[in-house]
Each structure stands twice: as C-alpha cells, then as structure tokens.
Amino acid sequence: MKTTIGIIGMGWVGTSIAISVLHSGSAKTLLLNDLRSEVAEGEAMDLRHGAAFYPSADVRTAEIEAMRDADVVVVAAGRGGGPGETRLDLLKGNAEIVRGIGARLVGCRGLVIMVSNPVDVLTRVMVEATGLPPQRVIGTGTMLETARLREMVGRQMSIDPRSIHGQVVGEHGDSTVPLWSAAHIGGRALREWPGWLPEHEQRLGKQVREAAYEIIRRKGATNHAIGLVTATLIRWALRGRRVLTVSRVQPTEMGPELAGVALSMPTIVSPEGADTVLRPSMDAAEEAALLRSARVLQEAWRSLDRG
C-alpha cells in the first residue's frame, strides 16, 4: 500500500514523529511542512540522508493544501509548554493556529491526527474548522499517559510494561484519570498482586500527571515518547481495528456529560477513524473524576472566542 503521511509543524515534536514514522515503515511518502519553510526543507534533507536505515520512503516538503489527499495528516504545529505552564495555558494562541490549518485542510480525504496541545480542545477546534466527521479527527489524547502508567507500574512491580494492562482516560492534562480499579497483570487485578499498596496509586497517579512538567523542567520539551505514540497510532489506524485511548469528540451515546466534548476513552481505531467508543469499567470515584475532567474541558472550550 502506497501510504502518504503529512506532518505539519517541524519543531521538537514534529521531528520526533517524522523519524518514528519512518522507522515504523508506515509511510511510502512523508510530506513535511512548517511555517519556517527552510526548517522543513532542512529536516527533509536530513531525514533523506538516513534512508539506508529505515524502510524505503520518499521524504519531501509540501504545502498544507497538498496534504488534503494524504492518508493521514498529523498536526504538531503551535507553541509548546514552558516550565510552570499547563497545557490549557497554550489554548488561545494554538487554537488560532489550528483554525488556520483546518481551513486549509477542508476536503481532506484521510485521517487528521492532532498532537498540538491542549490536544483535547484542539481536536474539537479541528473538527469545527474542517467540517470533518468527528471520528476522522483523532487526538493522541491519553495514549501517552497510558504508556507512562504502564512503564511506572512495570518499574514498581519489576515486570515488563507490555505485561501491564491499564488505561488512563479523560483529559490529556491535569485532570487525567487513571483507571486503577480495572488495571491487571496477566488477568489478575493489580490490586490483588502481592506488594501492591494503595499508596502506590496516589504516588504513581501524581507522577503520570506531572511527567511532562518534570521533563520540560529538565530539557525544555517532551518529544520522543509522543513521537513513538503518534507513529504507533498511525500504524494501527492504517492496519486494522485496535482499541486505543485516543481523544475524539464524544458521540451522543456517551451521555449528556460527555457528548460533544473531546476527551480520551478506549476507542476502536481503524482506517475509517475512531469510530466506536467504549465505556470502560470504572468505580464510583473514577466515574466522578471522569465527569470532572469533562467539565474542565468544556469550560476551556467555552473560553474560546470562535467568532
């Protein structure tokens, strides 16, 4: 299959996505775009020079309009967070950038993957700007928090993260909700494992929520893990049906508190998009936390001046 993938925004995150996509072998053509055209050209040249070390792909720059025919367009444009900033602090400026990109993607035939923060609200902005069906605009959402949770629990329990089964839902941000009640290892509830203590949940939950801030404080940005997350989302979306904790504008069947809000839930992702949302098992505290997260995101959406 001759797959074309476009990436808009070639900062730290966009370049990490590009190299991860190339190593995954998902793209036969990789199109790069940045407001700084010479940066995009330089990245394309640099990536092409490594062609002997990844599956064959044509890497070049392109205008945003040329990406309308791509199978997947990744949006990583906008300002990243600085020390002490929350993702929602980035909303106003990045919403304007995403609206402008969305206007140029009207008529896009493929999937749009949102990475720019705050990813949940900007996913909703992109749906509005492009007029695409909600299932075709997918935010990376809490895939990253879910990966962080699995790594941290695996380290705590001295077990490979790939053996940890647990999910994080809600906002990709401070109100994110780890679903401890349903987490398990090898079919056995995490809470029943020898050595697992209730205080682990509070400590690791805090570390999951604050991980980005700790990385930004040390190196100025987060980029490698989200690059791997995005490439993995693309690969699974193009290959078939996989349940992932991605963000999308929630359908009416999710109930009045969630419907219309973009946030992460376990969702079946396929070439048609994020087309089936699943409501996971949650205890009462987790359910309440999810509804609080939805309210945070709804208030952020209402704060935007959409003209």
Side-chain angles (χ1 to χ4, degrees):
M1 183 170 66
K2 294 185 177 180
T3 305
T4 299
I5 296 171
I7 302 174
I8 302 171
M10 295 309 298
W12 287 50
V13 172
T15 52
S16 284
I17 293 169
I19 193 68
S20 295
V21 165
L22 289 171
H23 277 296
S24 76
S26 296
K28 287 300 181 184
T29 301
L30 184 63
L31 305 177
L32 308 182
N33 178 276
D34 195 276
L35 186 62
R36 306 157 299 169
S37 59
E38 287 194 348
V39 169
E41 290 167 4
E43 292 293 354
M45 293 170 64
D46 199 5
L47 290 166
R48 284 199 301 270
H49 294 167
F53 306 107
Y54 56 75
S56 178
D58 175 26
V59 184
R60 53 188 166 85
T61 61
E63 294 299 317
I64 291 173
E65 289 80 1
M67 297 183 182
R68 291 174 183 162
D69 289 328
D71 298 281
V72 177
V73 178
V74 178
V75 179
R79 186 172 70 85
E85 282 190 304
T86 69
R87 294 173 181 89
L88 291 179
D89 288 335
L90 307 174
L91 178 56
K92 185 175 181 181
N94 283 354
E96 288 301 316
I97 293 170
V98 167
R99 282 196 195 100
I101 292 170
R104 299 173 68 182
L105 287 175
V106 170
C108 176
R109 72 169 182 84
L111 303 179
V112 177
I113 306 294
M114 294 300 303
V115 182
S116 307
N117 277 317
V119 69
D120 302 291
V121 183
L122 295 183
T123 295
R124 192 170 175 181
V125 169
M126 182 60 78
V127 169
E128 184 178 74
T130 58
L132 288 170
Q135 66 268 24
R136 286 177 50 203
V137 180
I138 309 170
T140 49
T142 57
M143 278 186 70
L144 182 51
E145 280 92 346
T146 295
R148 286 169 172 159
L149 181 79
R150 293 173 67 189
E151 187 276 332
M152 292 174 187
V153 172
R155 188 150 33 95
Q156 178 68 44
M157 304 301 288
S158 298
I159 295 177
D160 190 292
R162 289 167 292 190
S163 296
I164 311 301
H165 301 281
Q167 296 175 316
V168 181
V169 297
E171 179 196 4
H172 173 58
D174 294 346
S175 68
T176 198
V177 184
L179 300 182
W180 296 111
S181 66
H184 63 94
I185 306 173
R188 183 175 182 179
L190 178 60
R191 287 173 170 174
E192 296 176 0
W193 269 73
W196 185 258
L197 302 173
E199 50 262 39
H200 294 336
E201 296 177 14
Q202 183 176 2
R203 176 173 56 82
L204 296 182
K206 184 173 185 288
Q207 289 179 9
V208 167
R209 283 188 292 273
E210 296 180 357
Y213 302 135
E214 291 299 318
I215 295 168
I216 290 168
R217 183 170 66 82
R218 288 166 172 80
K219 59 174 269 192
T222 62
N223 58 305
H224 297 310
I226 189 59
L228 292 164
V229 161
T230 307
T232 300
L233 169 56
I234 291 169
R235 185 175 74 249
W236 288 338
L238 293 174
R239 287 184 178 179
R241 291 165 60 81
R242 183 89 178 222
V243 177
L244 303 170
T245 52
V246 294
S247 184
R248 59 153 285 179
V249 175
Q250 295 299 309
T252 56
E253 53 264 35
M254 285 297 104
E257 300 94 344
L258 302 184
V261 180
L263 50 69
S264 288
M265 295 283 277
T267 305
I268 298 176
V269 178
S270 72
E272 287 70 47
D275 54 7
T276 304
V277 181
L278 310 172
R279 199 170 190 110
S281 298
M282 291 179 275
D283 63 25
E286 291 163 351
E287 182 81 35
L290 176 62
L291 297 183
R292 283 196 299 273
S293 189
R295 288 194 293 271
V296 167
L297 292 168
Q298 184 73 323
E299 289 169 9
W301 170 257
R302 287 172 178 162
S303 74
L304 288 174
D305 178 9
R306 299 194 301 281

